[in-house]
Amino acid sequence: MASLVEFSGNNPIYYRKNISLGGMNMKEYFLVKEVIDEWDPIGLLGMGCPDDEYDPEIKDIVKRLSNSNSVDVLTKEIQEVFIKWFGEHLSTRDCLSAAQKILVRMS
């Protein structure tokens, strides 16, 4: 399979189509990572934290994608992930926006 290259800002992201990482589809992982990192819901990347700061949360969201059959369900899943990992209750509006972006980029 050919490698795919996308860019997040000026940083190249390399992945192979349909190859999993620990049971996780890498394409889905990078799509979710791009949305969450752009959003920076806790403000950690803006404070200079490492680029992988949200990786546990991103992996958790990707694992929940198969159960998220609607934007409303994915919105709640995103909220639950950030409550679990940070104890932060993010607004439904912000999580809805992230969920919509994830689902649009996946289609």
Side-chain angles (χ1 to χ4, degrees), residues 63-80:
K63 288 177 187 172
R64 296 170 183 233
L65 283 175
S66 62
N67 297 329
S68 301
N69 55 6
S70 72
V71 70
D72 292 332
V73 172
L74 184 55
T75 298
K76 288 184 182 232
E77 296 285 359
I78 292 169
Q79 282 182 312
E80 289 174 7

Side-chain angles (χ1 to χ4, degrees), residues 37-75:
D37 286 353
E38 284 174 4
W39 175 25
D40 193 11
I42 310 297
L44 300 174
L45 300 176
M47 292 189 299
C49 290
D51 290 341
D52 64 352
E53 189 64 37
Y54 294 116
D55 278 3
E57 297 78 22
I58 292 164
K59 289 176 183 175
D60 205 353
I61 292 167
V62 171
K63 288 177 187 172
R64 296 170 183 233
L65 283 175
S66 62
N67 297 329
S68 301
N69 55 6
S70 72
V71 70
D72 292 332
V73 172
L74 184 55
T75 298

Side-chain angles (χ1 to χ4, degrees), residues 4-20:
L4 301 175
V5 179
E6 291 185 353
F7 289 86
S8 177
N10 292 328
N11 302 319
I13 297 174
Y14 299 93
Y15 61 91
R16 292 181 183 263
K17 189 175 183 181
N18 297 326
I19 293 195
S20 295

